[in-house]
């Protein structure tokens, strides 16, 4: 989830330093200053054979392809509550009681979305990043970790000054593949989990979570947004008791990574212990690896020309040494600069970009190509994108795939057939 750009402050910063400080010039490109709204890469004449608008996918922010069962998992708000209450976008009107988003499972073949109902969970659920990992004890089940931006129950319209407005936390669920329900296992909450954004689960008892900002609101938050500071953190959490009923018990928390500006989405790379970390506002992908003490060390950085969100990794199942389309799939905004002004506007359009970044031939430089763009009318914003490959035998030998794109401010998810 990209953070907050205050239009006036970014413009002021731009005017002051664009010609003086080259890194700032790159940041201006990243947030899209001077960039026109892109044309949609979805052909206007497309049929359902190559473009599908997926029904019942309102404000689904994060999306995962769980390959063992070939299912997509998404966490969705289902209703327009984000325009009032969504702390990551600094929309902090006191929310209506009992707002509950949901998980959806989507079959990539039929492109039908099914809402799961909850077992053992009737709490407010304001969705954000998720992760889905196999249950090591049951091949037919997964654990689903999800950020929940619960409001502080004491925050009301009449009591809004000097109060911490959000009680953001992590919810852990278990899901039997094929079931219409998903079961709540426990909640994890701690004062150090302040502005949680995305989750990287290692096992049912261990995960990483990003705090996208050090400050929830106020002047320091504004400064943190515009200044070249790396105040965000990634935490490592060990769960010593998966059945603890108190959200703060049975956990051990340590800081795994610091020094990055707006660390945001986290991603897995198939067959590797890499933890991919994204700086949303700076458009940088950090390839990090865990140490034995669970801290993360950055091994490589890849700079992109737009803001970014949750990374995914596509493993080409038909890869050969001479034809290999595996790479990072990165969703972002063409004009991140407009986001703050649009964050509470139901009718605004925020044009998305999706990049595929792969290692060049013979291990050379990273090749970065835009595989999807829209003017914001078919999909508004992009927070996650995944590729589900198509067997080249069905496409006359061509490497193609279905790209699923979701946006944190989008009324629906789309699926579009693309060349890889
Ligand atoms: C963790 O291990 C790394 C790599 O060995 C080391 O650089 C770092 O200082 C250690 N951190 C802590 C908190 O022990
Ligand atoms: C395809 O490329 C990825 C990333 O460089 C690599 O990990 C994988 O082993 C390659 N696959 C084949 C079959 O060469
Ligand atoms: C940690 C996390 O939630 N990252 C995920 C972002 O979305 C991709 C695509 O589904 C996942 O593979 C990542 O694990």
């Amino acid at each position: 989830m990209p953070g907050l750009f205050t239009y006036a402050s970014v413009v002021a910063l731009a005017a002051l330093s664009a010609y003086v400080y080259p890194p700032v010039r790159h940041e201006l490109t990243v947030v899209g200053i001077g960039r026109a709204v892109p044309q949609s890469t979805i052909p206007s004449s497309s049929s359902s054979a190559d473009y599908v608008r997926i029904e019942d996918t309102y404000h689904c922010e994060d999306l995962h392809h769980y390959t063992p069962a070939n299912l997509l998992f998404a966490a969705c708000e289902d209703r327009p509550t984000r325009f009032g209450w969504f702390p990551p976008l600094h929309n902090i009107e006191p929310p209506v009681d009992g707002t509950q988003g949901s998980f959806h499972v989507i079959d990539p073949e039929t492109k039908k979305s099914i809402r799961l109902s909850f077992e053992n969970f009737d709490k407010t659920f304001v969705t954000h990043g998720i992760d889905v990992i196999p249950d090591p004890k049951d091949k037919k089940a997964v654990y689903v970790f999800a950020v929940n931006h619960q409001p502080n129950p004491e925050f009301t319209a009449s009591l809004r000054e000097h109060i911490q407005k959000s009680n953001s936390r992590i919810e852990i669920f278990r899901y039997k593949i094929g079931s219409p329900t998903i079961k709540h296992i426990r909640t994890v909450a701690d004062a150090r989990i302040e502005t949680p954004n995305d989750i990287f689960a290692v096992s049912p008892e261990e995960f990483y979570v990003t705090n996208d900002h050090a400050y929830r609101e106020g002047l320091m938050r504004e400064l943190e947004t515009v200044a070249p500071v790396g105040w965000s953190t990634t935490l490592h959490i060990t769960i010593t008791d998966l059945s603890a009923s108190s959200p703060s018990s049975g956990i051990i928390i340590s800081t795994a990574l610091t020094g990055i500006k707006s660390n945001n989405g986290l991603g897995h790379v198939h067959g590797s212990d890499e933890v991919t970390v994204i700086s949303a506002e700076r458009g940088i992908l950090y390839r990090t690896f865990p140490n034995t003490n669970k801290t993360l060390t950055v091994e490589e950085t890849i700079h992109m020309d737009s803001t970014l969100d949750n990374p995914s990794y596509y493993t080409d199942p038909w890869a050969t040494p001479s034809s290999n389309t595996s790479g990072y799939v990165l969703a972002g905004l063409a004009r991140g600069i407009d986001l703050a002004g649009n964050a509470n506007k139901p009718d605004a359009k925020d044009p998305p970009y999706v990049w595929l970044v792969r290692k060049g031939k013979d291990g050379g430089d990273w090749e970065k190509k835009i595989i999807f763009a829209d003017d914001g009318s078919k999909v508004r914003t992009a927070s996650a994108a995944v590729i589900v490959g198509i067997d080249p035998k069905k496409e006359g030998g061509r490497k193609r795939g279905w790209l699923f794109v979701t946006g944190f401010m989008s009324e629906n998810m789309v699926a579009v057939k693309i060349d890889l």
Side-chain angles (χ1 to χ4, degrees):
M1 159 70 37
L4 180 80
F5 296 98
T6 308
Y7 189 79
S9 29
V10 177
V11 169
L13 177 81
L16 277 173
S17 42
Y19 299 98
V20 208
Y21 183 52
V24 173
R25 239 177 284 160
H26 179 251
E27 302 225 344
L28 298 184
T29 307
V30 170
V31 300
I33 288 187
R35 180 183 283 144
V37 171
Q39 283 201 329
S40 188
T41 53
I42 304 172
S44 47
S45 61
S46 55
S47 73
S48 63
D50 47 28
Y51 165 64
V52 179
R53 178 186 193 275
I54 303 177
E55 296 304 322
D56 190 26
T57 51
Y58 190 92
H59 289 183
C60 301
E61 169 136 6
D62 201 359
L63 178 66
H64 286 243
H65 184 207
Y66 183 66
T67 46
N70 194 27
L71 270 187
L72 299 167
F73 284 81
C76 308
E77 225 64 82
D78 298 329
R79 50 183 84 68
T81 47
R82 281 190 171 186
F83 298 111
W85 172 254
F86 193 59
L89 281 174
H90 215 247
N91 286 346
I92 44 177
E93 287 309 311
V96 185
D97 257 2
T99 281
Q100 203 184 42
S102 69
F103 292 107
H104 292 226
V105 288
I106 299 157
D107 177 338
E109 296 294 328
T110 63
K111 306 182 182 59
K112 293 268 183 297
S113 168
I114 296 170
R115 259 189 224 200
L116 303 179
S117 46
F118 289 114
E119 230 179 288
N120 194 27
F121 187 64
D122 57 8
K123 303 265 174 12
T124 300
F125 186 36
V126 177
T127 62
H128 202 172
I130 60 167
D131 200 7
V132 182
I133 55 161
D135 178 344
K137 296 196 187 113
D138 180 353
K139 279 202 165 99
K140 296 246 161 61
V142 292
Y143 278 89
V144 181
F145 288 66
V147 169
N148 181 4
H149 291 294
Q150 252 187 30
N152 179 350
E154 284 162 28
F155 164 48
T156 57
S158 55
L159 182 63
R160 52 184 313 150
E161 298 307 320
H162 310 295
I163 187 168
Q164 179 184 309
K165 300 183 174 67
S166 59
N167 278 349
S168 303
R169 58 217 21 240
I170 313 299
E171 311 289 354
I172 305 175
F173 300 86
R174 188 170 175 277
Y175 176 66
K176 276 288 245 199
I177 302 292
S179 165
T181 63
I182 183 163
K183 187 176 177 191
H184 188 254
I185 303 293
R186 71 161 286 179
T187 301
V188 173
D190 184 271
R192 279 168 288 177
I193 304 175
E194 291 177 286
T195 54
N197 183 302
D198 203 2
I199 298 166
F200 179 108
V202 181
S203 76
E205 289 93 18
E206 185 188 351
F207 67 96
Y208 291 91
V209 59
T210 47
N211 274 318
D212 57 26
H213 286 76
Y215 293 92
R216 286 187 170 92
E217 57 177 322
L219 211 57
M220 291 305 283
R221 164 89 174 207
E222 296 253 328
L223 179 65
E224 182 177 13
T225 301
V226 296
V229 292
W231 293 342
S232 64
T233 54
T234 300
L235 305 175
H236 177 271
I237 297 167
T238 304
I239 301 171
T240 52
D241 180 2
L242 206 46
S243 55
S245 54
S246 153
S248 55
S249 61
I251 54 176
I252 301 167
I253 304 195
S254 60
T255 302
L257 184 66
T258 56
I260 291 179
K261 184 176 169 72
S262 66
N263 63 194
N264 194 278
L266 294 169
H268 296 258
V269 172
H270 180 72
S272 158
D273 60 355
E274 172 174 335
V275 179
T276 312
V277 182
I278 291 290
S279 160
E281 290 161 10
R282 297 200 62 208
I284 302 174
L285 181 155
Y286 295 84
R287 301 185 62 215
T288 82
F289 291 85
N291 299 306
T292 41
N293 64 15
K294 308 298 183 186
T295 61
L296 297 170
T297 296
V298 177
E299 303 249 312
E300 189 180 3
T301 56
I302 306 174
H303 290 248
M304 304 299 295
D305 279 344
S306 74
T307 64
L308 299 175
D309 213 307
N310 176 29
S312 78
Y313 188 83
Y314 173 60
T315 304
D316 179 352
W318 301 277
T320 61
S322 60
S323 163
N324 187 347
T325 61
S326 302
Y328 298 97
V329 184
L330 305 176
L333 303 177
R335 292 188 50 88
I337 182 71
D338 298 335
L339 184 62
N342 288 349
N344 56 3
K345 292 185 189 144
D347 300 325
K349 294 185 168 58
D350 292 282
Y353 270 165
V354 180
W355 304 83
L356 179 61
V357 178
R358 56 190 181 213
K359 204 79 191 156
K361 292 248 172 347
D362 310 319
D365 278 351
W366 294 93
E367 294 172 2
K368 306 163 188 173
K369 76 169 177 175
I370 290 179
I371 51 173
F372 177 84
D374 190 47
D375 59 7
S377 54
K378 290 207 173 67
V379 52
R380 174 180 169 192
T381 70
S383 45
V386 306
I387 294 172
V388 178
I390 306 173
D391 188 340
K393 280 199 204 97
K394 294 186 182 154
E395 295 287 337
R398 287 158 76 197
K399 286 279 179 80
R400 305 196 76 195
W402 279 97
L403 175 72
F404 293 81
V405 184
T406 186
F408 55 91
M409 284 280 158
S410 193
E411 287 176 19
N412 55 271
M413 202 183 282
V414 298
V416 55
K417 210 188 241 192
I418 57 164
D419 291 311
L420 295 174

